[in-house]
Amino acid sequence: MEKSFNCCVLSQLRQQSRAQLARHIRSQMQSSRSYSAPVQGSIPAAKKKYVPTSGSYPIGFTASGTIVGVKPGNKTKPDLAFVASDRPCVAAAVFTKNKFQAAPVTFSRNLLQKKANHGIQGVIVNSGCANAVTGKGGLEDAEKMAFAADKCLGQSDGTLVMSTGVIGQRLPIDKITSNIPAAHSALGASHDHWLACAKAICTTDTFPKLISRPFSLPSSPSIEYRIAGMTKGAGMIHPNMATLLGIIATDAPVSSSALPSALKHAVDRSFNSITIDGDTSTNDTVALLANGAAGGKEVVENSPDYDAFQTVLTDFAVDLAQLVVRDGEGATKFVTIRVVESPSEEVARKIASTIARSPLVKTALYGKDANWGRILCATGYSLISEPGLPINDVPEISPEKTNVSFIPTDGSAELKLLVNGEPEQVNETRAAEILEHEDLEILVRLGTGNKEATYWTCDYSHEYITINGDYRT
């Protein structure tokens, strides 16, 4: 009896000890977080600087964010976003290449094809449910959302649809469509309206991602054009065209033939150059609407105006895409990966992408460990599945020519880790100082050409597992 009692007591003590240890670990993780999402869902202090307090928004566009309660437990967060123009727009979009494409992706792509990129007047978005892998019923739900928005705008076949959230569940469609008139009534042109709209498309995001700015074009230097955009995403981020959800609007007069090519160029250098976890979503969509409300000469391809607009759009898209990386689920670091001296841009992009997706690289960065061997390893295996990439028999990767460095963001000298294939004696103290910073650049010099590519990524933390371990439930 005494032996049994003692065993029971020891078992209870062990359980208590494990529970205390678990509480201690959680406490340490939460108290030490300076960049990743707090448990309570408020905007982390380090990310508040990315939320604008004012904006410069395009003429003729309005936006709103309203509370529907797509998820039954949501009583406080806007989850229905509406962006509308006071006139028909030229529009273009890029979509996910995931084979299981969500109903809104199918609907919006078909609509743009049907309308030949003309006559789009709004975008309606719900968060809380992705309407993905939902069969014919899901496509009908997307159509109902568009129809309800079109009715409010007094037109037909003019609204793109987006959804984000849990995959494999049907939308509470009646709840959504019955609230679209309220979303329409709430439309406004102020900064607060646009910010509410940006909040409404968020899921696990910890802050709304909204940017706006003025610009000019060579043919109309006296006209102030404006561009505004929002995006959402914090997980399931690895693009193969565009990524997550993005809505961009401008009052510049861009032709229907010029807009798609300008958007593709911008997306390839922005949303197609970020990764958080290597997963390409079923719902990825980035749409661009141009209503021409500011006037001026129409922007057409192969013109100085087109070149200028393409540059503005690309820079704008890069800034939007980088906000997604800065809000990576559980992220504590924003990491720029540059691969230079490559035989081709394609090779450089493949290597940069592979490094950015490596769990071992990402966990080392979270641990502030200058483990450059993991970077080199990812570089070495990045082209194994791409035998067709060598160009003109130039070797893609030559170990004796490869260099790896950390580039500090404070302007101080780079920390060389590998020089022409030979390891450097790493100053661990200096490496630790560099890795303490929120921003970090990893530079890989291949020494086999003059092309380059850049990717943006973040680290993997304990919180990434926590967030995604119970995302659905």
Side-chain angles (χ1 to χ4, degrees), residues 99-336:
K99 294 298 182 181
F100 290 94
Q101 296 183 354
V105 169
T106 299
F107 174 84
S108 295
R109 178 191 286 112
N110 291 344
L111 179 62
L112 286 169
Q113 291 175 348
K114 173 184 175 182
K115 304 275 287 186
N117 293 45
H118 287 91
I120 301 300
Q121 201 161 338
V123 183
I124 190 75
V125 190
N126 77 274
S127 61
C129 179
N131 192 11
V133 197
T134 47
K136 293 181 180 179
L139 187 56
E140 292 172 358
D141 289 343
E143 293 170 350
K144 289 177 181 178
M145 285 178 63
F147 179 80
D150 286 339
K151 188 176 180 180
C152 291
L153 295 173
Q155 60 152 327
S156 62
D157 293 336
T159 303
L160 301 177
V161 178
M162 300 182 189
S163 297
T164 181
V166 177
I167 294 172
Q169 296 180 2
R170 289 286 298 275
L171 290 170
I173 189 61
D174 292 339
K175 184 185 291 187
I176 292 173
T177 55
S178 63
N179 278 281
I180 287 177
H184 178 260
S185 298
L187 288 170
S190 73
H191 171 71
D192 287 343
H193 286 94
W194 281 88
L195 189 60
C197 190
K199 290 177 180 177
I201 66 175
C202 293
T203 51
T204 58
D205 308 62
T206 65
F207 68 95
K209 302 163 186 65
L210 174 68
I211 300 176
S212 64
R213 64 185 54 149
F215 66 96
S216 61
L217 295 174
S219 68
S220 309
S222 62
I223 298 177
E224 180 183 85
Y225 295 107
R226 299 179 181 187
I227 187 169
M230 64 191 74
T231 187
K232 65 81 50 187
M236 197 178 282
I237 307 299
H238 182 70
N240 193 0
M241 57 81 243
T243 214
L244 12 111
L245 300 186
I247 305 168
I248 303 173
T250 181
D251 52 17
V254 187
S255 71
S256 59
S257 60
L259 201 68
S261 61
L263 180 61
K264 184 180 184 304
H265 180 276
V267 164
D268 283 345
R269 289 154 183 78
S270 57
F271 291 103
N272 265 355
S273 295
I274 65 173
T275 185
I276 288 175
D277 49 23
D279 276 359
T280 299
S281 169
T282 56
N283 290 56
D284 297 347
T285 304
V286 174
L288 170 61
L289 279 66
N291 67 6
K297 184 179 179 181
E298 185 179 49
V299 177
V300 297
E301 290 182 281
N302 302 316
S303 69
D305 278 353
Y306 178 81
D307 294 339
F309 177 73
Q310 188 179 74
T311 298
V312 168
L313 179 62
T314 300
D315 291 344
F316 186 84
V318 166
D319 289 344
L320 268 181
Q322 288 185 358
L323 289 180
V324 174
V325 177
R326 291 193 180 279
D327 200 21
E329 289 172 343
T332 69
K333 294 190 182 302
F334 176 86
V335 186
T336 298

Side-chain angles (χ1 to χ4, degrees), residues 35 63 74 94 114 187 217 303 305 320 358 377 384 392 421:
Y35 187 58
N74 176 38
V94 284
K114 173 184 175 182
L187 288 170
L217 295 174
S303 69
D305 278 353
L320 268 181
S358 167
C377 180
I384 289 177
N392 298 327

